[in-house]
Amino acid sequence: MQQLNLKGKILFVFSDPGGAKPILSLIENEKLHETLVVSDREYPFYKDFKSQVKILENEPEDIINSYKPNLIYTGTSYRSEIEKQFIQIANQKGITSISFIDHWTSMRNRFELPEGKLIFPSQIDVIDERAKQIAINEGIDKEKIVITGNPYHTWLKNWKPTISKEQFLQSIHSTISKKKIALFAPDPLSNVNGLKDFGFDEVSAIKELKELFKSQSQINDKWIFFIKTHPNQDLSKLDAEIKDDTNFYTLPSDVDVNSCIYYSDLVMGFFSSFLIEADIMKKKVLRYLPKQINDPIRELNIGQIVNKDTITNYLMKAKWN
């Protein structure tokens, strides 16, 4: 794993949480001071970090011309274009640029412009050797790739909540008392043809879980599912499924994510980085995979893989209670 050596005036750019959290952690871990941090989105977790995040109002080129950075460091997204816009301008102006990839999926697509053109930064930071090999296999120049780990994981190991569990539940207007909390954070697979490509998506998974609650009274009596939606989630799809269902509660968009993980009895999802973060916080993890798939985080050995036929056994195990 290579040590970072970031110097001079640095312009940081991100959109998705997968880029935002590692970048904000990187600034603190490396004790960087001469920085400008911009994004096109606001998140509640900004308050957990010392850096001030400025919401993008001006054109990327105007920001670059005004700040005159020595380096532009970006996250990567699959729905936002701002990071690629900054990389493209950096290349045109001869400014060194680095992009961070927080996962093992869609490496090449993260640098594709709407018209299909690929735009790569000077350097691409990835989290481990496996990510590097996947990137190389997808056609990214191996000379550009540097293994740095994930700065957010280093930061998260030392995180503690500032509020009690009672205060947390009050903040989300929850009235639960004795039920166990399962925090379900599904990837928004319906955005990427999940039913076709994986055989399931977040909507079909929730349908299965609803049927489980109806048929298994012991689960109904002991558990409630808090749903932490992804920022890119089409909420109308989930709302249509769980409206008026007391076993499922969609958390407010401004909820403190780390407090959610910390105060849950277990965390469940498909294969997002959310599960890695829960594992770092030493939480019980279930991975709900209704079908056998090409599992992008299989090699990490995080959590127990379950489906509708096996999840009851794990929810009712004594060690979960």
Side-chain angles (χ1 to χ4, degrees):
M1 189 177 297
Q2 184 168 317
Q3 294 294 315
L4 293 167
N5 186 25
L6 305 178
K7 295 180 179 180
K9 296 175 67 176
I10 308 174
L11 172 58
F12 290 97
V13 184
F14 52 72
S15 182
D16 287 353
K21 292 179 180 180
I23 283 177
L24 292 172
S25 300
L26 172 64
I27 295 171
E28 294 194 11
N29 295 346
E30 298 294 315
K31 296 179 172 59
L32 302 176
H33 300 291
E34 204 170 5
T35 64
L36 175 64
V37 186
V38 300
S39 179
D40 60 346
R41 302 169 82 172
E42 292 192 60
Y43 297 108
F45 59 76
Y46 287 166
K47 69 180 185 300
D48 293 333
F49 298 92
K50 298 174 183 177
S51 297
Q52 179 183 356
V53 180
K54 295 186 176 181
I55 302 304
L56 193 67
E57 295 179 347
N58 300 326
E59 292 296 318
E61 188 164 8
D62 293 337
I63 293 172
I64 293 172
N65 289 338
S66 174
Y67 187 62
K68 297 180 174 56
N70 303 110
L71 169 67
I72 296 176
Y73 194 113
T74 81
T76 54
S77 308
Y78 80 95
R79 300 194 77 179
S80 172
E81 298 298 318
I82 68 161
E83 293 132 327
K84 288 174 275 190
Q85 292 169 3
F86 276 88
I87 294 169
Q88 189 171 34
I89 297 168
N91 290 349
Q92 293 168 356
K93 292 181 176 294
I95 302 172
T96 301
S97 59
I98 302 175
S99 292
F100 176 78
I101 301 179
D102 69 302
H103 212 263
W104 300 266
T105 55
S106 304
M107 300 290 195
R108 185 181 177 92
N109 292 346
R110 297 168 187 264
F111 303 102
E112 185 175 355
L113 296 172
E115 63 271 22
K117 179 182 177 181
L118 289 167
I119 185 77
F120 291 108
S122 312
Q123 177 176 308
I124 299 173
D125 290 352
V126 298
I127 51 181
D128 57 19
E129 180 63 35
R130 178 174 172 237
K132 178 179 179 178
Q133 291 304 316
I134 292 172
I136 292 171
N137 292 340
E138 291 189 15
I140 296 177
D141 183 358
K142 67 179 181 180
E143 299 302 321
K144 286 184 175 289
I145 304 171
V146 174
I147 300 173
T148 62
N150 190 324
Y152 180 60
H153 294 172
T154 301
W155 181 91
L156 188 60
K157 289 177 181 178
N158 299 315
W159 183 89
K160 297 295 181 192
T162 58
I163 59 175
S164 67
K165 184 174 183 178
E166 291 71 21
Q167 290 171 319
F168 164 67
L169 293 174
Q170 289 175 5
S171 73
I172 62 172
H173 308 292
S174 173
T175 58
I176 69 165
S177 54
K178 296 182 179 180
K179 284 192 176 184
K180 299 294 183 182
I181 299 172
L183 179 61
F184 185 34
D187 305 74
L189 298 183
S190 62
N191 291 346
V192 291
N193 299 313
L195 282 177
K196 178 181 178 182
D197 294 341
F198 299 103
F200 66 93
D201 61 17
E202 73 278 17
V203 179
S204 66
I206 287 178
K207 285 182 178 179
E208 289 185 356
L209 291 170
K210 283 175 58 180
E211 289 301 315
L212 181 71
F213 268 86
K214 289 180 181 178
S215 63
Q216 303 285 344
S217 60
Q218 69 270 36
I219 295 178
N220 198 347
D221 293 338
K222 290 190 175 182
W223 289 93
I224 184 170
F225 272 69
F226 283 175
I227 300 178
K228 174 62 184 75
T229 57
H230 190 278
N232 296 328
Q233 177 68 54
D234 181 347
L235 295 177
S236 64
K237 294 179 180 179
L238 297 187
D239 290 342
E241 286 299 322
I242 64 174
K243 185 179 180 180
D244 301 324
D245 192 320
T246 57
N247 296 314
F248 296 87
Y249 175 71
T250 301
L251 293 169
S253 60
D254 61 350
V255 69
D256 182 75
V257 174
N258 288 341
S259 293
C260 288
I261 296 175
Y262 190 90
Y263 289 122
S264 295
D265 294 285
L266 69 89
V267 178
M268 187 170 78
F270 301 146
F271 36 74
S272 76
S273 296
F274 198 94
L275 302 179
I276 301 171
E277 294 164 17
D279 186 65
I280 290 171
M281 296 174 70
K282 303 186 184 305
K283 302 304 296 185
K284 302 288 188 181
V285 174
L286 291 183
R287 299 188 54 218
Y288 194 76
L289 299 180
K291 306 284 185 180
Q292 288 188 349
I293 61 167
N294 182 16
D295 184 356
I297 66 170
R298 176 180 57 83
E299 295 182 17
L300 299 182
N301 294 318
I302 290 176
Q304 174 66 48
I305 295 176
V306 296
N307 56 37
K308 65 179 181 180
D309 297 320
T310 60
I311 188 174
T312 300
N313 180 50
Y314 289 97
L315 288 178
M316 300 312 296
K317 274 186 173 180
K319 68 177 182 179
W320 295 94
N321 300 314

